[in-house]
Amino acid sequence: MEDAYARSVSEVLEFFAVDPSKGLSDFQVAEHARLYGKNVLPQEQSTPFWKLVLKQFDDLLVKILIAAAIVSFLLALANGETGLSAFLEPSVILMILAANAAVGVITETNAEKALEELRAYQADVATVLRNGCFSILPATDLVPGDIVEVSVGCKIPADMRMIEMLSDQLRVDQAILTGESCSVEKELAITSVTNAVYQDKTNILFSGTVVVAGRARAVVVGVGSNTAMGSIRDSMMKTEDEVTPLKKKLDEFGTFLAKVIAGICVLVWVVNIGHFRDPAHGGFLQGAIHYFKIAVALAVAAIPEGLPAVVTTCLALGTKRMARLNAVVRSLPSVETLGCTTVICSDKTGTLTTNMMSVSKICVLDSVSHSPLAAEYNVSGTTYAPEGFIFDSTGVQLEIPAQFHCLLHIAMCSALCNESVIQYNPEKRGYEKIGESTEVALRVLAEKIGLPGFDSMPSALNMLSKHERASYCNHYWEDQFKKVSVLEFSCERKMMSVLCSRKQIDIMFSKGAPESILPKCTSVLCNDDGLTIPLTSNIRAELESKFHSFAGKETLRCLALALKRMPTGQQALSLDDENDLTFIGLVGMLDPPREEVKNAIVSCMTAGIRVIVVTGDNKITAESLCRKIGAFDHLDDFVGLSYTASEFEELSAMQKTLALQRMTLFTRVEPSHKRILVEALQHQNEVVAMTGDGVNDAPALKKADIGIAMGSGTAVAKSAADMVLADDNFATIVAAVAEGRAIYNNTKQFIRYMISSNIGEVVCIFVAALLGIPDTLVPVQLLWVNLVTDGLPATAIGFNKQDSDVMKAKPRKVNEAFVTGWLFFRYLVIGVYVGIATVAGFVWWFVYSDNGPKLPYTELMKFDSCTTRETNYPCSVFSDRHPSTVAMTVLVVVEMFNALNNLSENQSLFVIPPWSNLWLVGSIVLTMLLHVLILYVQPLSVLFSVTPLTWTEWTVVFYLSFPVIIIDEILKFFSRNSSGMRLNYRFRRVDLLPKREVRDK
């Protein structure tokens, strides 16, 4: 029954044909179970482990690597290779892929836990009326029409319509559904609101919420999937994980790479068709196979085998840095996604605010001799910690607040007319509450006011342990006064009273809504001299004016406090006693904004990131908060910028599109609205970060490009999110965005480094094949260069320091390519030089080296016919390991210099020197040590087909390698100046690396 909230009690009972005094019969239970199903959330089949594993290999770049591994292995066997040499290359490639697959499987397994943890919020048992008798049954046995009784502490077992109140009031904590910290008062009356949201349905008890006060009976109207919890579960099921921008770019890069590799392999093979019949090959077919092997070697050179591992490593490093910022990353790719976030949809309660109700203002009657009559005090401190001060209207701090009569009596009333508890939790190193937020705020206020009669107040309190300090002043007043009788709060009276006795003096303290307390007051306590005077119409008017100012303009939640001298020996309170009260004061409280949020909002604006505050709270309160945090200082009003969920739904499609482009505040929302907001923003090509903490937020967190859960939130929200804020702080999100941008910049740098290095390897093999000289490098040497000499510096580039202006740039567009035209041209130039320098080292040994044969260059080009003609040198010289060792060493050293080029995209090494990233310097040193190791240690040198080099050969290697620094410095100079910009414009239209075709934002 979907509209039970809009039906009367009798209509609902009639719909289910149930007698509220007897409940359902056994026959009706069976019939309703058949019609409506069981009260369980359906078990969703988890993805089989083998499918999760296979899914990790469903990537073009990974498939290319697997194909390369298989072909390398088959060619090794075709050449008669056995043992380690045959398996080395394919084994290393497959080991890398297996490691990446393991990370992916773990991530996806964690994501599926969100649905399982949703079940933890379902009640286990329920007190049910059936066949005229109450019994405790498993909650799973409930059916629509069952009459259920609930009381304090009960978890609601299904969605139910209230039918009978068994206490003065019933309050329910709906935080897991609405995100709002205050409990909701339930009633029997029909809800007549159009497009009612959860907060409006005050006659419905929602599955999974908890009763915090009162006792009542209700009829079940929804079970299983047809509950509020069930709709959240269904929404999560429909939500598909969004592909991150980095994943999209890597997929595009893989597609591009596949085309390039295929083109190069075919080109090399075609270019050498004329050499197929060379006598050295022993026939046309054998020649075709020989050049196919060269083409495959080229493919191996083109594939950055270490790319997946380096990307994973760089993102992992980012997660460690974020953990230090209190941002715990659950999904590695989301680290980078933060860098291109354009919109942050932030929850209000607990993220922008402390989620700790605290008193911020006090109003008392100063004295009738003063003008104005009323005095205002400001209260500092925004948490449950007993830390804060009282300031007068001029901003002067009160040394001993308890010396002021009204403040002293406010402290007494706050401590005694109260049923909450504050305690210090040593594990969390913070103060925690038990009870209603408003009552806890009064407890904290009593601690800030302190105690009278001590000259050393309040410094004496600071000498107590934190556990003792939590409620020291409250306990003092509770010890001084004995509670005799209590009149509980009721929704009709909107007030609470407690009768206390001290030294034969009986006093009744009352607190409640100002509109309820003030009319019952006939006198007022003066703060200045402690006299009690009649409450005249002028004084009443001024106090009411202050109340309206607090509640209206400042949107504070107000409570009025009063007292009454009672006859000695009275043992009980009646409603008649709550008259002729003496007004003590008015307190205004709020869930205060976090102090650091204002600067964080400014940082977002500077960085081009829009913040949309999303809350279940009412519009006026939320708008007031937004003004307090300074998020919207630049706005005169909220017209066209602030919408309630129902207002937004009433807009036309075009109006919604325009509203989304300007929206800054979205109020009175429920789970479906959050998800709709995320989807609508994504359709406008925004990269959306969504924060949340409740079960209700899980679908939106899962749908967003990056879901951010609060550390204090529910397990469901954390499981559905990509990142968890340990400190629940919005400012942490901004710090994480800056880190995400820095990670993306570093990711671009190492991918560009690997591209330029791999272009060098391709050019090396291609030029060698084109010139008809022997193979410059063997596949195992290429693998060594790709994995070790590429991998270590590429990983270290991830440690490049964050640019100082990283949060001054606008968010990058989702369709921005890793390497645009001008950049690709730059790295093509570098890559061509790397390749030519490598071939030059190879040729130098044959033609010029004192240790070489000093052959004429034409002889080197005829190497394949050496055995068929007479020569004055042995043909075995072409099998010497020196030339390929020189070429391989040139390739390694030139790539180390190229790594230094990537400390910055455009800044010179004179501006950002190598020692700015000591990790990179260390990786270069380690790489060179490993390379020297394979040259000079016997088993390794045989495995990699290399040999020790002489000092002269090392000198030539350095001369051939160092110019790469000079070339890149020239290219960086052009990039920093207008000529580079013009080239960039020229290349912009046809990027050599693909882009995602989406609308430019």
Side-chain angles (χ1 to χ4, degrees):
M1 192 175 189
E2 294 182 358
D3 62 344
Y5 64 90
R7 304 282 190 94
S8 66
V9 172
S10 58
E11 284 180 297
V12 176
L13 294 172
E14 186 180 342
F15 180 86
F16 292 110
V18 58
D19 181 345
S21 62
K22 294 182 179 179
L24 296 175
S25 65
D26 291 338
F27 173 78
Q28 286 178 303
V29 170
E31 186 64 18
H32 287 194
R34 184 182 65 80
L35 287 173
Y36 303 109
K38 297 192 70 175
N39 186 31
V40 291
L41 293 179
Q43 179 77 40
E44 186 60 32
Q45 281 191 335
S46 59
T47 308
F49 180 77
W50 64 271
K51 281 190 177 180
L52 284 177
V53 173
L54 286 181
K55 185 179 177 183
Q56 309 313 313
F57 295 94
D58 187 19
D59 178 90
L60 187 57
L61 189 59
V62 170
K63 289 173 183 175
I64 294 170
L65 289 170
I66 293 173
I70 293 170
V71 171
S72 298
F73 178 65
L74 293 176
L75 288 176
L77 292 181
N79 282 341
E81 295 178 27
T82 56
L84 184 61
S85 60
F87 288 97
L88 180 64
E89 187 175 329
S91 297
V92 173
I93 293 174
L94 293 176
M95 278 167 49
I96 292 171
L97 295 178
N100 283 303
V103 173
V105 169
I106 291 169
T107 301
E108 294 208 22
T109 304
N110 286 338
E112 289 194 349
K113 288 181 181 176
L115 291 171
E116 287 302 314
E117 286 170 342
L118 198 59
R119 297 173 183 277
Y121 292 90
Q122 292 180 284
D124 296 322
V125 295
T127 304
V128 188
L129 176 64
R130 285 182 182 173
N131 301 311
C133 297
F134 276 102
S135 58
I136 297 176
L137 299 175
T140 53
D141 289 350
L142 287 181
V143 296
D146 266 327
I147 304 297
V148 178
E149 188 169 303
V150 295
S151 56
V152 176
C154 282
K155 188 179 287 185
I156 307 298
D159 281 8
M160 304 190 294
R161 168 68 160 90
M162 294 269 292
I163 61 171
E164 186 182 355
M165 194 78 73
L166 302 177
S167 60
D168 290 336
Q169 63 165 341
L170 185 81
R171 300 189 70 84
V172 177
D173 181 357
Q174 294 185 172
I176 65 166
L177 283 181
T178 64
E180 298 309 307
S181 55
C182 294
S183 60
V184 178
E185 187 174 340
K186 295 297 180 177
E187 58 189 11
L188 301 176
I190 296 172
T191 301
S192 56
V193 179
T194 306
N195 296 325
V197 295
Y198 289 142
Q199 297 93 318
D200 299 324
K201 299 174 183 177
T202 52
N203 54 23
I204 299 291
L205 306 180
F206 295 106
S207 172
T209 60
V210 179
V211 178
V212 294
R215 183 164 157 258
R217 285 181 190 169
V219 58
V220 176
V221 295
V223 295
S225 296
N226 296 317
T227 61
M229 199 69 70
S231 65
I232 291 172
R233 179 247 178 213
D234 292 342
S235 184
M236 289 174 68
M237 289 301 304
K238 292 174 186 173
T239 302
E240 294 181 4
D241 291 333
E242 292 294 310
V243 179
T244 66
L246 180 63
K247 182 68 167 65
K248 291 175 184 175
K249 288 294 152 205
L250 289 177
D251 288 346
E252 291 169 13
F253 179 63
T255 304
F256 170 76
L257 202 58
K259 294 174 183 176
V260 170
I261 291 169
I264 290 173
C265 290
V266 171
L267 185 61
V268 168
W269 201 69
V270 171
V271 164
N272 286 285
I273 285 177
H275 295 285
F276 285 6
R277 297 185 184 278
D278 288 351
H281 303 316
F284 183 87
L285 183 61
Q286 287 79 2
I289 293 173
H290 172 78
Y291 286 103
F292 176 69
K293 291 176 184 177
I294 292 177
V296 170
L298 237 173
V300 172
I303 299 170
E305 287 92 341
L307 180 59
V310 173
V311 170
T312 302
T313 304
C314 188
L315 294 178
L317 292 173
T319 65
K320 285 190 175 181
R321 285 199 290 267
M322 286 188 177
R324 290 197 289 271
L325 299 171
N326 291 314
V328 181
V329 176
R330 298 185 66 256
S331 170
L332 284 183
S334 64
V335 176
E336 179 274 334
T337 307
L338 277 168
C340 55
T341 298
T342 58
V343 177
I344 298 175
C345 296
S346 175
D347 194 27
K348 177 182 76 72
T349 307
T351 308
L352 297 176
T353 67
T354 62
N355 197 19
M356 299 181 186
M357 193 69 72
S358 64
V359 174
S360 62
K361 291 219 167 187
I362 301 172
C363 174
V364 297
L365 182 71
D366 203 359
S367 172
V368 288
S369 60
H370 290 91
S371 182
L373 301 175
E376 266 189 38
Y377 293 98
N378 293 308
V379 184
S380 68
T382 58
T383 67
Y384 293 143
E387 299 160 1
F389 303 99
I390 315 292
F391 301 87
D392 65 19
S393 56
T394 63
V396 177
Q397 181 185 328
L398 305 186
E399 291 297 326
I400 307 177
Q403 287 183 343
F404 294 83
H405 296 280
C406 285
L407 294 182
L408 175 64
H409 285 81
I410 284 174
M412 290 182 194
C413 186
S414 297
L416 297 167
C417 198
N418 203 313
E419 295 181 342
S420 66
V421 176
I422 300 177
Q423 58 190 19
Y424 181 73
N425 186 329
E427 293 182 1
K428 295 183 179 179
R429 297 182 181 180
Y431 293 88
E432 294 181 335
K433 67 159 184 141
I434 300 175
E436 286 288 341
S437 300
T438 51
E439 292 197 336
V440 174
L442 292 177
R443 287 270 188 212
V444 177
L445 176 63
E447 296 297 327
K448 292 175 182 177
I449 292 173
L451 302 174
F454 296 97
D455 291 337
S456 59
M457 284 293 296
S459 57
L461 293 173
N462 296 329
M463 301 179 69
L464 299 170
S465 69
K466 289 188 175 182
H467 181 74
E468 292 174 309
R469 181 68 188 92
S471 294
Y472 185 85
C473 299
N474 282 275
H475 289 160
Y476 173 84
W477 294 119
E478 287 170 344
D479 290 341
Q480 291 291 312
F481 288 87
K482 177 187 175 185
K483 283 188 182 181
V484 179
S485 178
V486 176
L487 269 180
E488 295 286 353
F489 178 91
S490 72
C491 55
E492 291 82 14
R493 291 164 38 246
K494 293 185 178 178
M495 63 183 294
M496 169 190 177
S497 298
V498 58
L499 176 61
C500 299
S501 174
R502 180 188 186 223
K503 298 177 181 178
Q504 265 91 68
I505 298 175
D506 291 343
I507 300 176
M508 181 183 74
F509 291 100
S510 300
K511 76 165 190 288
E515 61 268 31
S516 297
I517 295 284
L518 270 171
K520 295 177 183 293
C521 292
T522 55
S523 58
V524 59
L525 181 68
C526 292
N527 194 42
D528 191 27
D529 50 21
L531 294 177
T532 300
I533 61 173
L535 183 58
T536 65
S537 57
N538 287 341
I539 297 173
R540 187 183 298 275
E542 181 152 353
L543 291 175
E544 286 180 348
S545 173
K546 285 291 182 185
F547 162 55
H548 291 305
S549 174
F550 280 12
K553 184 180 176 182
E554 301 186 49
T555 63
L556 300 178
R557 180 172 294 179
C558 296
L559 285 178
L561 307 178
L563 58 80
K564 181 181 181 182
R565 183 77 176 264
M566 303 297 288
T568 305
Q570 184 169 333
Q571 295 298 309
L573 289 176
S574 67
L575 296 180
D576 292 335
D577 291 325
E578 291 182 326
N579 290 303
D580 300 323
L581 305 177
T582 299
F583 181 83
I584 306 173
L586 179 73
V587 297
M589 57 186 72
L590 78 163
D591 181 3
R594 293 178 182 270
E595 294 176 0
E596 57 275 27
V597 163
K598 190 168 185 175
N599 290 334
I601 294 282
V602 172
S603 295
C604 284
M605 292 178 179
T606 306
I609 300 171
R610 187 154 58 102
V611 178
I612 300 178
V613 177
V614 183
T615 176
D617 211 340
N618 69 67
K619 193 173 183 178
I620 295 173
T621 304
E623 287 179 354
S624 173
L625 172 87
C626 290
R627 289 193 175 94
K628 282 188 176 75
I629 63 177
F632 311 114
D633 284 346
H634 60 296
L635 305 174
D636 295 327
D637 57 54
F638 284 94
V639 176
L641 303 170
S642 173
Y643 295 89
T644 64
S646 56
E647 288 171 348
F648 184 74
E649 286 183 333
E650 290 170 2
L651 298 177
S652 66
M654 180 59 71
Q655 288 174 323
K656 283 181 180 178
T657 301
L658 295 173
L660 284 169
Q661 293 172 359
R662 300 185 61 214
M663 182 187 289
T664 52
L665 182 60
F666 198 35
T667 53
R668 302 302 281 175
V669 301
E670 57 183 27
S672 59
H673 296 131
K674 290 187 176 183
R675 190 171 181 274
I676 288 168
L677 176 64
V678 171
E679 289 177 342
L681 288 168
Q682 288 173 336
H683 286 152
Q684 294 191 359
N685 297 322
E686 304 282 7
V687 178
V688 184
M690 168 65 81
T691 74
D693 55 2
V695 172
N696 61 313
D697 297 319
L701 292 176
K702 197 173 179 188
K703 178 64 182 171
D705 295 288
I706 175 159
I708 305 170
M710 302 298 108
S712 61
T714 61
V716 177
K718 292 177 187 176
S719 295
D722 302 297
M723 190 171 86
V724 178
L725 298 184
D727 59 357
D728 294 9
N729 197 334
F730 181 82
T732 302
I733 301 174
V734 179
V737 169
E739 187 63 41
R741 290 186 173 191
I743 288 168
Y744 178 73
N745 290 340
N746 290 343
T747 303
K748 281 201 303 185
Q749 286 303 102
F750 74 63
I751 286 178
R752 289 169 184 161
Y753 164 68
M754 296 184 88
I755 288 174
S756 58
S757 297
N758 284 41
I759 287 173
E761 295 167 21
V762 170
V763 169
C764 163
I765 293 177
F766 187 77
V767 168
L770 202 62
L771 296 177
I773 62 177
D775 296 341
T776 311
L777 299 169
V778 297
V780 73
Q781 292 173 338
L782 280 172
L783 187 70
W784 171 259
V785 173
N786 277 344
L787 290 183
V788 182
T789 60
D790 280 5
L792 289 175
T795 304
I797 287 171
F799 287 95
N800 283 350
K801 289 184 179 178
Q802 190 181 110
D803 292 340
S804 58
D805 60 349
V806 72
M807 285 300 282
K808 293 178 182 176
K810 300 300 178 188
R812 65 181 175 84
K813 293 170 183 171
V814 184
N815 63 332
E816 179 187 296
F818 277 130
V819 184
T820 54
W822 163 244
L823 282 173
F824 189 81
F825 171 77
R826 280 176 53 182
Y827 289 97
L828 189 63
V829 171
I830 295 294
V832 168
Y833 178 78
V834 169
I836 291 174
T838 304
V839 173
F842 184 84
V843 173
W844 170 83
W845 188 86
F846 278 106
V847 179
Y848 299 107
S849 174
D850 293 334
N851 296 330
K854 292 192 175 181
L855 301 177
Y857 180 70
T858 52
E859 284 295 314
L860 185 60
M861 294 176 66
K862 298 176 183 177
F863 79 97
D864 51 354
S865 61
C866 179
T867 56
T868 62
R869 57 190 175 86
E870 289 187 11
T871 59
N872 56 2
Y873 58 86
C875 292
S876 60
V877 73
F878 296 115
S879 302
D880 197 301
R881 288 186 293 172
H882 273 91
S884 63
T885 304
V886 171
M888 180 184 175
T889 306
V890 169
L891 184 58
V892 169
V893 176
V894 77
E895 289 188 6
M896 294 306 99
F897 284 126
N898 190 29
L900 293 176
N901 289 333
N902 285 276
L903 282 166
S904 172
E905 186 176 305
N906 294 316
Q907 290 297 326
S908 167
L909 280 173
F910 294 106
V911 176
I912 301 180
W915 50 87
S916 66
N917 185 346
L918 293 177
W919 287 100
L920 181 58
V921 174
S923 71
I924 291 172
V925 171
L926 179 58
T927 297
M928 290 309 302
L929 287 174
L930 289 171
H931 186 67
V932 169
L933 192 68
I934 69 164
L935 293 185
Y936 295 95
V937 174
Q938 185 63 37
L940 294 175
S941 61
V942 173
L943 179 64
F944 289 97
S945 300
V946 291
T947 190
L949 297 182
T950 63
W951 181 251
T952 303
E953 289 166 339
W954 275 107
T955 305
V956 170
V957 165
F958 179 81
Y959 284 146
L960 288 172
S961 303
F962 185 76
V964 77
I965 295 277
I966 300 170
I967 293 170
D968 200 55
E969 285 292 317
I970 294 170
L971 292 170
K972 285 181 179 179
F973 174 79
F974 280 113
S975 287
R976 293 192 300 269
N977 293 279
S978 58
S979 56
M981 296 308 293
R982 283 197 295 272
L983 272 169
N984 192 27
Y985 175 79
R986 220 173 280 140
F987 274 89
R988 190 174 59 192
R989 287 184 174 274
V990 186
D991 282 351
L992 297 178
L993 285 182
K995 285 186 176 181
R996 196 93 171 157
E997 292 300 326
V998 295
R999 180 178 66 82
D1000 254 5
K1001 294 197 287 287

